[in-house]
Amino acid sequence: MDIKKILKNKKVLISLVVVILIIIFIIFVINNKNDGMSNTNKVSIYYKTYSNGKWSHWSKDGLTSGNYNNSIENIKIKVKTKLNGYVFYNVYSNGKWSEDLESDSKIKNEKIQGLSFENMDTLYNGYNICYRTYNKKDKWLAWACNGDPTGNIKKNITALEIKIIPKNVSKYEWLRDYNKTLKDSSKGF
């Protein structure tokens, strides 16, 4: 088989170029769906909120928990991973921050104005925890990550979203769908 003869044949050459372009397109599409986060299946965060006398259903990996109308008074969190790790969180209510709370902590049902979350143990080394809150005045606040406070000192939180994302990705790029209107992540803290 002579390569020079094949390359001189225009039909074969065009077919070869088309096949190469199709392969490049398929690789491009697969990489865009992956979003650089092939290891996100290793960690999932589940959370639910308590408001108006009842618990919400479990939300997962960035889905909204809360009903936008009633103040959140309590939170439960579960992290599912094969890694060693857990989440600490702090709650701001009645003019003060709580001590570090673990996933299964029981807090007194009080209207919450501020939150912060941090990954601990091996989750801290490889993952960011990002979260945002909603209140009736400010609507959705911008994402906060890794212990930064979110909320408004004067308004109760009525909904929240939490995500755990790998540290090797750009947080802004990964959260860009959610950053249509950038606002402060906290007011008054």
Side-chain angles (χ1 to χ4, degrees):
M1 178 154 62
D2 189 9
I3 302 276
K4 288 181 183 180
K5 285 183 183 178
I6 293 173
L7 293 178
K8 286 182 181 179
N9 186 339
K10 288 184 180 180
K11 288 182 181 180
V12 172
L13 186 61
I14 291 172
S15 298
L16 185 61
V17 169
V18 168
V19 168
I20 291 171
L21 289 174
I22 290 171
I23 291 171
I24 290 170
F25 177 76
I26 290 170
I27 290 170
F28 179 77
V29 167
I30 289 171
N31 280 340
N32 276 349
K33 284 186 179 181
N34 182 22
D35 203 15
M37 298 185 52
S38 60
N39 58 352
T40 56
N41 291 334
K42 292 182 182 177
V43 179
S44 287
I45 187 160
Y46 295 81
Y47 44 95
K48 64 181 180 175
T49 55
Y50 182 84
S51 61
N52 203 28
K54 62 184 175 186
W55 285 99
S56 67
H57 296 288
W58 287 101
S59 295
K60 175 185 177 187
D61 298 332
L63 296 176
T64 302
S65 183
N67 63 18
Y68 297 100
N69 293 316
N70 299 308
S71 300
I72 293 175
E73 301 172 11
N74 208 334
I75 301 169
K76 287 186 181 178
I77 300 172
K78 291 193 277 188
V79 178
K80 291 195 177 180
T81 178
K82 293 179 181 176
L83 302 170
N84 292 325
Y86 52 96
V87 172
F88 265 162
Y89 65 100
N90 291 302
V91 172
Y92 184 86
S93 64
N94 293 331
K96 64 182 188 302
W97 283 99
S98 66
E99 297 295 321
D100 289 337
L101 302 166
E102 288 189 49
S103 303
D104 57 357
S105 295
K106 304 282 189 271
I107 61 173
K108 197 182 204 181
N109 293 343
E110 298 175 345
K111 294 180 179 174
I112 298 171
Q113 293 87 32
L115 291 167
S116 71
F117 298 88
E118 286 188 80
N119 287 332
M120 304 310 268
D121 208 359
T122 54
L123 280 179
Y124 175 80
N125 295 329
Y127 294 87
N128 293 303
I129 184 166
C130 297
Y131 41 90
R132 67 182 186 159
T133 57
Y134 181 94
N135 66 57
K136 290 179 184 178
K137 179 182 182 224
D138 305 309
K139 307 301 181 210
W140 282 110
L141 294 171
W143 288 91
C145 297
N146 304 324
D148 291 332
T150 182
N152 183 325
I153 200 166
K154 296 180 181 179
K155 293 292 175 186
N156 296 331
I157 294 171
T158 59
L160 73 104
E161 296 175 348
I162 308 170
K163 292 185 177 201
I164 294 181
I165 59 175
K167 284 192 175 181
N168 63 349
V169 299
S170 166
K171 286 186 281 190
Y172 180 79
E173 279 299 309
W174 199 71
L175 300 170
R176 69 181 164 196
D177 294 343
Y178 299 91
N179 284 329
K180 291 182 180 160
T181 57
L182 291 176
K183 298 178 182 175
D184 293 335
S185 61
S186 65
K187 306 276 185 179
F189 292 107

